[in-house]
Amino acid sequence: MRITRPRTRAGATTAGATALVAAAMIATPLSTSITAASAHAATPAEAVPAVAGHQLVSGESSPLSIAQCQAKWKIACYTPVQYRQAYNLNPLYKSGVTGKGRTIVIVDSYGSPTVQHDLDVYSKQFGMKSAKVQVKKWGHVPEFDPKNADMTGWAGETTLDVEMAHAVAPDAKIVLVETAVAETEGVTGLPEMMSAEKSLIDHGVGDVITQSFGATENTFPGFDKGDFSSIGKLRYAFKDAARHGVTVLASSGDGGATDSTADGKGYYKKRVNSWPSSDPLVTSIGGTQLHLDAKGNRTAPESVYNDNGAGGGGQSHVFDRPAFQNGEKKVVGNRRGTPDVSMAAAVNGGAWVYSSFDPTAVGWDVSGGTSEASPLFSGIVALADQAAGRRVGDIHKALYTLADRRSSGVVDVNDGTDNSYQGVTGYPAANGYDMATGVGTVDAARFVPALARASRHS
């Protein structure tokens, strides 16, 4: 994966109307079918994230309906109310399972100076109570500059992360960790993120950590020589999380079966994978496309995310197949396969997000990418933590066990094509586990209590 590139934002302009379509991707640009925003890519020497397809545009004054989005931009756009219906979350809320008493940790470079205000506006718009965002700065975080494209890129990612986590687990506490060094391809920025995570874990802060960033495994020092120690030295936070029962999630990326090159300006012409998503201590969250009506009811089965990006997935070149994937040997071979499970990520079916960190683009935007999917799933984990009355911890064993019992709320995704991208052939959606969507997605009303029960025995 790339070393922490925030999911990108891009403007879509049709018939004089301008909207912000943010591809919440692991440094993956949106394709030109939605927008061909001016690319901002940085070389490693500049030590900034390669935020391709990033363009600041004026936001909408209010969210539009699905029909209006389709008429203006040829995409569907969804609200948290519709997401809640689609993922069958409402029965949990009615029973009191709202994430209360649980804490979601979100890690982003720089953060956003308006994150609390923006969450308040977002929540009010959709009839939800807001939540207090506790901000923890790690290191000397520079003052926010709305003219700095790297900072605004991360601010967009931060906004997406916070609002998506809150949409699923409305009563969960949110701790936002803002680091001082931007993550790029390779190691840059990751040590700060990992040390911040370990510190919070050691201090008992957080039940689930969501990471919407990643760096291609191939871009780490020593990779070409078969030396994976540079990744190994960064795993200490995840090992610490396992000891403390903290669940760790990461976006699988938006480059399908490929991912960004070291300079952030292109993609490998072969199948690659990215870290931390590829780490066996991390639950890899892939992407799907929802098909909903105005009430949030499904008009078709969830399908593979492959529009303006594609859900990351494939074999790790660093990690061997972990025990929890032994039942999937025919699919993953002898390597760690990603993703493990998936949530909404397609731009065509993206989420409404409100932001005001850029004074020239205040308003409502539509966002997609697996950096949407990971915070969405962090909300699912927070709900399961509450239902279990304890941290569910590393969910891999429980997840793959539940996937064999379809009545447990794991929903297979075998619709759509595959996650091919940028000319690199991906993996097809298939019955059971596949490296396009993992075990599939979830019906929360069934999955959350099932995960809570299974975690007691894992």
Side-chain angles (χ1 to χ4, degrees), residues 7-90:
R7 304 313 173 249
T8 60
R9 307 177 90 193
T13 305
T14 304
T18 305
L20 187 62
V21 179
M25 308 175 174
I26 283 187
T28 301
L30 295 182
S31 76
T32 55
S33 60
I34 291 295
T35 177
S38 58
H40 169 82
T43 64
E46 293 174 311
V48 293
V51 185
H54 181 84
Q55 183 182 42
L56 295 177
V57 297
S58 298
E60 288 293 312
S61 59
S62 63
L64 306 183
S65 68
I66 296 173
Q68 289 171 321
C69 285
Q70 289 172 332
K72 275 193 171 186
W73 307 301
K74 310 301 180 186
I75 62 169
C77 50
Y78 300 135
T79 70
V81 176
Q82 291 161 333
Y83 275 0
R84 289 175 168 188
Q85 177 66 19
Y87 286 114
N88 200 18
L89 286 157
N90 293 316

Side-chain angles (χ1 to χ4, degrees), residues 18-266:
T18 305
L20 187 62
V21 179
M25 308 175 174
I26 283 187
T28 301
L30 295 182
S31 76
T32 55
S33 60
I34 291 295
T35 177
S38 58
H40 169 82
T43 64
E46 293 174 311
V48 293
V51 185
H54 181 84
Q55 183 182 42
L56 295 177
V57 297
S58 298
E60 288 293 312
S61 59
S62 63
L64 306 183
S65 68
I66 296 173
Q68 289 171 321
C69 285
Q70 289 172 332
K72 275 193 171 186
W73 307 301
K74 310 301 180 186
I75 62 169
C77 50
Y78 300 135
T79 70
V81 176
Q82 291 161 333
Y83 275 0
R84 289 175 168 188
Q85 177 66 19
Y87 286 114
N88 200 18
L89 286 157
N90 293 316
L92 292 172
Y93 302 153
K94 291 178 181 178
S95 68
V97 179
T98 59
K100 187 174 183 178
R102 296 297 157 180
T103 301
I104 298 170
V105 173
I106 295 168
V107 184
D108 284 305
S109 297
Y110 304 140
S112 166
T114 61
V115 65
Q116 184 66 65
H117 167 75
D118 295 346
L119 180 62
D120 292 344
V121 173
Y122 174 84
S123 300
K124 183 178 180 180
Q125 174 70 36
F126 300 115
M128 304 184 294
K129 61 181 179 181
S130 192
K132 167 75 174 172
V133 181
Q134 183 179 1
V135 177
K136 290 185 176 293
K137 295 184 182 294
W138 191 257
H140 299 290
V141 180
E143 182 178 355
F144 185 80
D145 179 3
K147 295 181 180 179
N148 183 310
D150 300 313
M151 287 188 171
T152 55
W154 279 105
E157 176 56 51
T158 299
T159 305
L160 177 66
D161 289 344
V162 169
E163 293 179 6
M164 292 303 99
H166 181 64
V168 175
D171 285 334
K173 297 178 182 178
I174 296 177
V175 174
L176 171 64
V177 182
E178 301 176 347
T179 63
V181 179
E183 178 264 332
T184 58
E185 284 297 339
V187 174
T188 306
L190 288 177
E192 290 77 9
M193 290 173 157
M194 296 302 106
S195 60
E197 290 180 15
K198 185 178 187 302
S199 178
L200 264 64
I201 293 166
D202 288 343
H203 286 86
V205 178
D207 302 300
V208 53
I209 299 172
T210 176
Q211 306 168 113
S212 292
F213 54 80
T216 310
E217 291 176 338
N218 307 54
T219 65
F220 283 85
F223 178 90
D224 291 341
K225 298 179 180 179
D227 178 5
F228 307 139
S229 61
S230 58
I231 289 179
K233 291 176 182 177
L234 290 168
R235 303 184 70 216
Y236 57 88
F238 305 152
K239 293 176 181 178
D240 199 36
R243 288 191 292 268
H244 289 81
V246 175
T247 310
V248 183
L249 316 176
S251 304
S252 70
D254 303 291
T258 184
D259 215 325
S260 294
T261 53
D263 62 7
K265 297 180 179 180

Side-chain angles (χ1 to χ4, degrees), residues 393-418:
D394 186 333
I395 68 170
H396 286 113
K397 182 179 178 181
L399 179 64
Y400 283 84
T401 299
L402 293 175
D404 292 331
R405 305 181 217 144
R406 293 300 173 182
S407 62
S408 63
V410 175
V411 181
D412 193 17
V413 176
N414 52 18
D415 191 53
T417 54
D418 56 31

Side-chain angles (χ1 to χ4, degrees), residues 315 321-340 396-397 399-404 406 431-435 438-439:
Q315 293 175 307
R321 184 185 71 246
F324 60 78
Q325 287 189 322
N326 282 346
E328 314 303 337
K329 182 177 180 180
K330 291 183 178 180
V331 179
V332 303
N334 293 323
R335 313 306 301 171
R336 157 67 159 142
T338 63
D340 293 307
H396 286 113
K397 182 179 178 181
L399 179 64
Y400 283 84
T401 299
L402 293 175
D404 292 331
R406 293 300 173 182
N431 293 330
Y433 179 87
D434 57 64
M435 290 188 288
V439 298

